[in-house]
Amino acid sequence: MTGSYLAHNYHPLDVTVERGEGAWVTDVTGRRYLDCLAAYSAVNFGHGHPALIAAAKAQLDRITLTSRAFNNDQLAPFAEALATLAGKDMVLPMNTGAEAVESAVKVARAWGYRVKGVPANRATIIVMDGNFHGRTTTIISFSTDEQARADFGPFTPGFVSVPYGDAAALESAIDETTVAVLVEPIQGEAGIIIPPAGYLARVRELTTEHNVLFMADEIQSGLGRTGTTFACDLEGVVPDLYLLGKALGGGIVPVSAVVGNADILGVLQPGEHGSTFGGNPLASAVGHAVVDLLATGEMQERAAALGARLQAALRLLVGHGVVEVRGAGLWAGVDIDPTLATGRRVCELLAERGVLAKDTHGSTIRLAPPIVVEKDDLDWAVDQLQAVLRELGAQ
Ligand SMILES: Cc1ncc(COP(=O)(O)O)c(C=O)c1O
């Protein structure tokens, strides 16, 4: 059931999901699979988390959309809760991750002209090679992935790309036109790439020193996935702007946000930016329930504990069909020996065994199960990976 009426912008595995609960989904034939992708971390808290579903259902019965032409009673409390969680004082609510990134780009440019004093239309933003921030035209303008860009030009100017994890390269790229550095604290789509220890702290130092905004795209890495609220917390680093999405909507509705202090987000004036759906009551109610879940710290602790277990189990596969394992918390990039099989093939064989995962960049598979996954199920998923590798001829 792939749907011949659909544009071919995805190449899904041959599994048609009908329902889900916790870390498990069931297909149309009744077969169950352990979801080890969790919708690219949008389902961090599991399918149908009772508190999130209850918040959504209650709000469905009240009101779902007002537009920002009027206030709604859910938005301000959600913004306050999210700002408090992030230790910041303002929230700019949007819907998709790409919109949060686009919004941050606009905020950074406006801040650059109005606060920093960069000459009109000269602002530049430094981005990282291998980045993934979404699919809109401006965002792909600074992608280094040719497949993401081919035939979609002309591109938006004003971006400079430097090698990820190279603080010296970043430092030499900063000049008087630089308004922001946009960085994923861990590069997700690139294959769960962890920068060298101390890198994010150095980004913080350099951006502070040069009066440049540090914008952390935590859309995939944030909200519990790495065992902390934000991946930046792993290095004790606080960026100027957090870009959030995916799990903020609890896997129920698209909710994204840019979160920062008023001296930056406060540059936006009425009429300069917006979204019909951004900050709608349903999204706000669900987003607020997500923040409440994270505020207890239980999800983060669980991700850290289960993550340590996952990383240790995966490391035992190195040399047995796996070339390298990278990870943080409940998030792992597993490089399959390319002489054995592609990442895609491994994911197909995993699906046959009841585990859903997704390949990225040829031979890497990424594992990001919902944080509510049971530890026995997690162990079982790694066993299935080992069995697949053996089936493919690994020692
Ligand atoms: C780091 C990062 N930023 C932005 C996005 C874009 O989010 P969306 O697909 O909701 O537009 C993604 C999506 O994978 C992402 O991983």
Short mmCIF file of all heavy atoms in Angstrom, two decimals, residues 40 96-99 101 132-134 184 189 217 219-220 246, ligand 1:
data_model
loop_
_atom_site.label_atom_id
_atom_site.label_comp_id
_atom_site.label_asym_id
_atom_site.label_seq_id
_atom_site.Cartn_x
_atom_site.Cartn_y
_atom_site.Cartn_z
N TYR A 40 11.54 10.15 13.59
CA TYR A 40 12.72 11.04 13.66
C TYR A 40 12.72 11.84 14.97
O TYR A 40 13.02 13.03 14.98
CB TYR A 40 12.77 12.00 12.47
CG TYR A 40 12.79 11.33 11.13
CD1 TYR A 40 11.61 11.13 10.42
CD2 TYR A 40 13.98 10.90 10.57
CE1 TYR A 40 11.62 10.51 9.17
CE2 TYR A 40 13.99 10.29 9.32
CZ TYR A 40 12.82 10.10 8.64
OH TYR A 40 12.83 9.49 7.41
N THR A 96 6.20 23.55 11.93
CA THR A 96 7.19 22.54 11.56
C THR A 96 8.59 22.99 11.98
O THR A 96 8.83 24.18 12.27
CB THR A 96 7.20 22.33 10.04
OG1 THR A 96 7.63 23.54 9.42
CG2 THR A 96 5.84 21.92 9.54
N GLY A 97 9.51 22.03 11.97
CA GLY A 97 10.89 22.35 12.28
C GLY A 97 11.47 23.37 11.31
O GLY A 97 12.13 24.33 11.71
N ALA A 98 11.20 23.14 10.02
CA ALA A 98 11.74 24.06 9.01
C ALA A 98 11.27 25.49 9.28
O ALA A 98 12.04 26.45 9.11
CB ALA A 98 11.32 23.61 7.62
N GLU A 99 10.04 25.63 9.71
CA GLU A 99 9.54 26.98 10.02
C GLU A 99 10.26 27.61 11.21
O GLU A 99 10.47 28.83 11.24
CB GLU A 99 8.04 26.93 10.34
CG GLU A 99 7.15 26.77 9.14
CD GLU A 99 5.71 26.64 9.60
OE1 GLU A 99 5.39 25.60 10.21
OE2 GLU A 99 4.92 27.55 9.36
N VAL A 101 13.36 27.05 11.93
CA VAL A 101 14.67 27.44 11.41
C VAL A 101 14.53 28.73 10.58
O VAL A 101 15.30 29.69 10.75
CB VAL A 101 15.28 26.30 10.57
CG1 VAL A 101 16.60 26.74 9.95
CG2 VAL A 101 15.48 25.04 11.43
N PHE A 132 21.59 19.47 8.49
CA PHE A 132 20.21 19.25 8.02
C PHE A 132 19.29 20.09 8.89
O PHE A 132 19.18 19.87 10.10
CB PHE A 132 19.78 17.77 8.08
CG PHE A 132 18.43 17.59 7.46
CD1 PHE A 132 18.29 17.32 6.10
CD2 PHE A 132 17.26 17.75 8.20
CE1 PHE A 132 17.03 17.20 5.50
CE2 PHE A 132 16.00 17.65 7.61
CZ PHE A 132 15.90 17.37 6.27
N HIS A 133 18.62 21.05 8.25
CA HIS A 133 17.71 21.91 9.00
C HIS A 133 16.31 21.94 8.40
O HIS A 133 15.49 22.75 8.82
CB HIS A 133 18.27 23.33 9.08
CG HIS A 133 19.60 23.43 9.79
ND1 HIS A 133 19.71 23.36 11.16
CD2 HIS A 133 20.85 23.57 9.31
CE1 HIS A 133 21.00 23.48 11.50
NE2 HIS A 133 21.70 23.60 10.40
N GLY A 134 16.05 21.11 7.38
CA GLY A 134 14.73 21.11 6.77
C GLY A 134 14.82 21.24 5.27
O GLY A 134 15.90 21.15 4.69
N GLU A 184 23.66 22.27 14.73
CA GLU A 184 23.01 21.15 15.42
C GLU A 184 24.02 20.66 16.47
O GLU A 184 25.13 20.29 16.11
CB GLU A 184 22.74 19.99 14.45
CG GLU A 184 21.72 20.25 13.38
CD GLU A 184 21.89 19.28 12.21
OE1 GLU A 184 21.32 18.18 12.25
OE2 GLU A 184 22.60 19.62 11.25
N GLU A 189 20.61 13.94 10.83
CA GLU A 189 20.49 13.33 9.50
C GLU A 189 21.85 12.92 8.96
O GLU A 189 21.95 12.00 8.16
CB GLU A 189 19.81 14.30 8.52
CG GLU A 189 18.37 14.58 8.85
CD GLU A 189 17.52 13.33 8.89
OE1 GLU A 189 17.50 12.57 7.92
OE2 GLU A 189 16.90 13.11 9.95
N ASP A 217 20.05 24.24 16.77
CA ASP A 217 18.91 23.51 16.23
C ASP A 217 18.78 22.21 17.02
O ASP A 217 19.50 21.24 16.78
CB ASP A 217 19.11 23.23 14.74
CG ASP A 217 17.92 22.48 14.13
OD1 ASP A 217 17.13 21.90 14.91
OD2 ASP A 217 17.80 22.46 12.89
N ILE A 219 15.95 20.54 17.15
CA ILE A 219 14.67 19.99 16.66
C ILE A 219 14.66 18.46 16.74
O ILE A 219 13.66 17.87 17.11
CB ILE A 219 14.40 20.52 15.24
CG1 ILE A 219 14.02 22.01 15.33
CG2 ILE A 219 13.31 19.71 14.53
CD1 ILE A 219 14.10 22.78 14.04
N GLN A 220 15.81 17.84 16.42
CA GLN A 220 15.87 16.38 16.54
C GLN A 220 16.60 15.95 17.82
O GLN A 220 16.27 14.93 18.42
CB GLN A 220 16.56 15.78 15.30
CG GLN A 220 16.37 14.28 15.20
CD GLN A 220 16.72 13.67 13.85
OE1 GLN A 220 16.87 12.46 13.77
NE2 GLN A 220 16.85 14.43 12.81
N LYS A 246 9.51 18.85 16.30
CA LYS A 246 9.29 17.40 16.43
C LYS A 246 8.59 17.01 17.74
O LYS A 246 7.38 17.09 17.81
CB LYS A 246 10.62 16.65 16.27
CG LYS A 246 11.22 16.80 14.86
CD LYS A 246 12.28 15.78 14.60
CE LYS A 246 13.10 16.03 13.34
NZ LYS A 246 12.44 15.66 12.10
C1 LIG B 1 17.90 19.14 13.07
C2 LIG B 1 16.66 19.32 12.25
N1 LIG B 1 16.21 20.55 11.98
C3 LIG B 1 15.10 20.77 11.27
C4 LIG B 1 14.37 19.72 10.77
C5 LIG B 1 13.13 20.00 9.96
O1 LIG B 1 11.98 19.67 10.63
P1 LIG B 1 10.59 19.49 9.83
O2 LIG B 1 10.72 18.21 9.05
O3 LIG B 1 9.55 19.40 10.91
O4 LIG B 1 10.44 20.68 8.96
C6 LIG B 1 14.78 18.41 11.02
C7 LIG B 1 14.03 17.28 10.48
O5 LIG B 1 14.50 16.16 10.40
C8 LIG B 1 15.96 18.21 11.78
O6 LIG B 1 16.41 16.98 12.03
#
